[in-house]
Amino acid sequence: MYTQQDLELLREKGISQDQIDTQLDYFSTGFPYLSIVAAASVERGVLKIGEEEEKVYLDAWQDFLNSGKKVTKFVPASGAASRMFKDLFAFLEADYEEPSTPFEKEFFDRIQQFAFFGPLDETCKNLFEKDVATLCKEGRYKDVVSSLLSPGGMDYGNMPKGLLLFHKYPEGNRTPVGEHLTEGTFYAKNRAEEVNVHFTVSPEHKEMFELLVAARKLNYEFKLGATFSVSYSIQKPATDTIAVDMNNEPFRNEDGSLLFRPGGHGALIENLNDIDSDVIFIKNIDNVVPDRLKENEAHYKRLLAGILVAMQKRTHNYLNRLESGEATRDELAEMLAFTEKELLISHSGQFASNEELKKYLKRKLDRPFRVCGMVKNEGEPGGGPFIVVNADGTASPQILESSQIDKNDPAAMEAFRNSSHFNPVDVVCGVKCNQGNKYNLTKFVDRNTGFISYKSKNGKELKALELPGLWNGAMSNWNTIFVEVPVSTFNPVKTVNDLLRPEHQ
């Protein structure tokens, strides 16, 4: 089945034949849908923290920062910005010359409000010897868009989001990279005034990130009174997945070689696993705000982190008692109540003996911990918090995407439609055990929670395999707590015109 060329490619990527065979099996059998017990809500599964509790958790986080433990901000930043500009690319291809759609009209009506307007104006002058206003007056709108998106201009159509100018400041406009560094000082600065930030980037963009940070780092450190340790990683080639044709046979390129595709953000569990840290914040590259709004966001980051360290401390104390062999019957009952009432892990049946109960508690407590901010649904439901049945028959909090839900199951679809919260990717992770050793995060992935998507290459249809998502199946076997946070903490930039929203001005 595999040619010599295939085997050489597998060796180059670090992928085994067994991995490929397993992936091919998934294309044939599909992935099982998850069984939903209920959508998580404030009544069941989503914590709503009062003011008095807030202070306790905020103090707990400050104590943790002062303790000398290591904290890292982990920012997935490998995505290209091309999807941000899909409407402008469509305008370039359109058979009309002037803005016609509401999106196009808003872009040009408010073009001077974008943080990248100054460089765009200069680019237009260099390319056409005319500024943006003159080109627009002459009806040359497409020349302006081309100046912004094309390789001969600013090349924003091919750049990563992290390197685009998002926000205006008197001292110089700022990219998402700069915003993440700044934001880190609000909640991840330790007692030595150090901030650790890690970006996952595409190989072709890594040097661009390094050059930007090198150029700005000293200024940020001087202004913010912090020392930044910035690191980078790329998605590992070994996490690429094979593509197949519509008959589930390996898809081959025109030269006969196997086609591999990136396995999606779930592949980043490998990158996360390489981070040597006690606590790791995860936040997407485009969910940033200007400085005037950062304190509000940071308040809730500190709150989530405080809940994490407080709950993990209790968990570690329970594990120490279990490992001592001296836990009393009352203590075991307390631990079981903790898993049921606070970690929301439900189980069926009774435990035949204390030894069986101890093994169960050890299995459920001795694993990574995450606290996830959840925002109230104010529009169409998307990925969000649910209580889900696990492979071992227990049920626990999980983050689901629509692709993981059986569309033919009326009860599951009803729960999905009625979900009260969605997932803004606002996660704080505790990744060390009670002995202080780092967990191997790859051991806690539910491999059966990937999904299959349909794509095309050179005009031919293909199927692609997405690995279990980073905050979905890749963290299925973590302890999970959901906490309600306000929608004001969620300000993603999915299209270029999102930068015109008040939160980004």
Side-chain angles (χ1 to χ4, degrees):
M1 178 180 176
Y2 299 113
T3 67
Q4 189 60 37
Q5 182 186 24
D6 295 340
L7 296 176
E8 289 175 2
L9 180 59
L10 293 180
R11 277 195 296 272
E12 181 184 320
K13 285 182 165 291
I15 299 174
S16 71
Q17 290 184 50
D18 286 345
Q19 283 175 273
I20 298 303
D21 291 340
T22 299
Q23 291 174 16
L24 292 174
D25 286 343
Y26 278 129
F27 282 115
S28 298
T29 63
F31 290 94
Y33 294 112
L34 293 176
S35 177
I36 298 176
V37 176
S41 63
V42 170
E43 291 72 33
R44 182 182 184 182
V46 178
L47 293 181
K48 191 177 178 74
I49 307 298
E51 284 186 26
E52 289 187 14
E53 285 181 289
E54 269 195 7
K55 187 177 185 314
V56 172
Y57 290 129
L58 293 173
D59 288 346
W61 179 240
Q62 192 56 52
D63 290 344
F64 187 87
L65 285 176
N66 292 337
S67 71
K69 299 288 180 67
K70 187 173 181 182
V71 178
T72 300
K73 258 175 67 71
F74 182 89
V75 186
S78 57
S82 51
R83 280 179 291 182
M84 257 182 76
F85 300 105
K86 66 178 183 179
D87 296 272
L88 296 183
F89 278 117
F91 174 59
L92 286 178
E93 297 296 321
D95 57 6
Y96 50 85
E97 298 300 318
E98 297 197 358
S100 298
T101 68
F103 188 96
E104 293 160 3
K105 289 177 179 178
E106 181 180 31
F107 176 82
F108 282 102
D109 287 346
R110 302 177 62 187
I111 195 167
Q112 292 190 23
Q113 293 176 239
F114 289 108
F116 55 73
F117 176 76
L120 175 60
D121 207 41
E122 289 302 313
T123 301
C124 288
K125 291 175 187 175
N126 291 335
L127 292 177
F128 303 108
E129 298 184 348
K130 294 180 180 180
D131 61 16
V132 169
T134 303
L135 289 172
C136 290
K137 191 173 182 180
E138 294 178 359
R140 297 171 63 181
Y141 295 96
K142 290 188 178 181
D143 285 340
V144 175
V145 174
S146 179
S147 298
L148 177 66
L149 301 182
S150 70
M154 294 175 65
D155 201 23
Y156 265 31
N158 299 303
M159 297 262 284
K161 273 188 185 179
L163 302 182
L164 309 186
L165 290 171
F166 264 35
H167 299 143
K168 290 183 177 181
Y169 293 94
E171 71 275 13
N173 295 347
R174 202 178 292 167
T175 64
V177 167
E179 296 292 23
H180 275 285
L181 295 181
T182 306
E183 182 186 289
T185 64
F186 282 73
Y187 56 80
K189 184 165 68 171
N190 64 20
R191 66 184 180 189
E193 299 191 324
E194 298 167 333
V195 180
N196 301 295
V197 185
H198 182 90
F199 296 101
T200 65
V201 299
S202 298
E204 65 270 24
H205 296 144
K206 183 169 180 282
E207 185 178 1
M208 298 168 69
F209 276 85
E210 290 172 336
L211 289 172
L212 175 69
V213 170
R216 304 290 174 84
K217 184 168 173 281
L218 285 176
N219 284 339
Y220 283 134
E221 289 180 337
F222 179 76
K223 177 188 174 185
L224 299 168
T227 301
F228 291 101
S229 174
V230 184
S231 55
Y232 311 88
S233 64
I234 62 171
Q235 192 165 307
K236 297 180 180 181
T239 63
D240 289 352
T241 58
I242 195 167
V244 299
D245 61 23
M246 304 312 285
N247 295 317
N248 296 325
E249 294 295 327
F251 188 99
R252 294 189 179 274
N253 294 306
E254 293 178 354
D255 64 358
S257 62
L258 294 171
L259 175 64
F260 285 87
R261 305 182 76 263
H265 60 71
L268 298 181
I269 194 69
E270 298 275 355
N271 304 62
L272 192 72
N273 195 43
D274 291 340
I275 302 293
D276 180 20
S277 202
D278 294 278
V279 169
I280 304 173
F281 290 85
I282 302 177
K283 188 180 181 187
N284 281 337
I285 186 67
D286 64 337
N287 186 14
V288 288
V289 290
D291 286 352
R292 64 186 174 82
L293 299 177
K294 279 194 175 64
E295 179 51 43
N296 175 64
E297 287 211 347
H299 173 85
Y300 290 98
K301 292 289 185 299
R302 293 191 291 263
L303 174 62
L304 297 179
I307 294 170
L308 172 77
V309 297
M311 298 297 274
Q312 194 174 43
K313 183 177 180 180
R314 288 179 63 187
T315 303
H316 288 174
N317 287 340
Y318 287 144
L319 283 167
N320 290 337
R321 288 299 292 163
L322 284 172
E323 291 168 6
S324 74
E326 298 175 358
T328 65
R329 182 176 297 179
D330 285 346
E331 287 175 322
L332 294 177
E334 180 184 330
M335 294 178 202
L336 184 61
F338 175 72
T339 66
E340 292 173 337
K341 296 177 181 177
E342 300 191 56
L343 300 184
L344 292 183
I345 303 170
S346 59
H347 60 91
S348 57
Q350 300 295 315
F351 297 97
S353 66
N354 278 353
E355 287 309 308
E356 187 180 314
L357 175 56
K358 288 177 184 177
K359 287 179 183 177
Y360 171 83
L361 291 169
K362 171 80 171 169
R363 193 169 75 249
K364 292 303 181 184
L365 294 175
D366 192 12
R367 52 190 190 166
F369 215 115
R370 62 176 175 162
V371 175
C372 310
M374 290 293 156
V375 171
K376 273 188 178 178
N377 245 338
E378 295 184 347
E380 291 298 315
F386 292 84
I387 309 298
V388 174
V389 177
N390 302 309
D392 65 357
T394 62
S396 65
Q398 303 283 353
I399 298 172
L400 299 193
E401 300 294 334
S402 59
S403 60
Q404 298 175 278
I405 296 171
D406 185 356
K407 307 296 188 296
N408 296 315
D409 181 344
M413 289 305 296
E414 181 71 11
F416 190 68
R417 280 192 295 269
N418 293 331
S419 57
S420 60
H421 292 73
F422 71 87
N423 168 39
V425 188
D426 193 356
V427 186
V428 190
C429 307
V431 294
K432 290 191 176 178
C433 71
N434 57 312
Q435 304 295 336
N437 300 318
K438 178 87 183 292
Y439 284 111
N440 179 354
L441 304 182
T442 64
K443 291 185 175 180
F444 298 87
V445 177
D446 182 351
R447 303 289 173 185
N448 288 321
T449 55
F451 66 93
I452 294 165
S453 57
Y454 293 84
K455 309 285 183 181
S456 65
K457 171 124 188 207
N458 298 329
K460 296 180 182 178
E461 291 184 314
L462 61 84
K463 295 181 186 179
L465 189 149
E466 300 273 346
L467 296 173
L470 181 59
W471 38 84
N472 310 117
M475 295 182 176
S476 277
N477 294 312
W478 293 40
N479 281 322
T480 299
I481 291 177
F482 298 135
V483 180
E484 184 175 276
V485 295
V487 71
S488 59
T489 63
F490 183 55
N491 297 286
V493 177
K494 301 306 179 188
T495 74
V496 63
N497 281 6
D498 284 339
L499 291 171
L500 298 173
R501 291 165 51 204
E503 295 84 2
H504 292 287
Q505 289 291 305

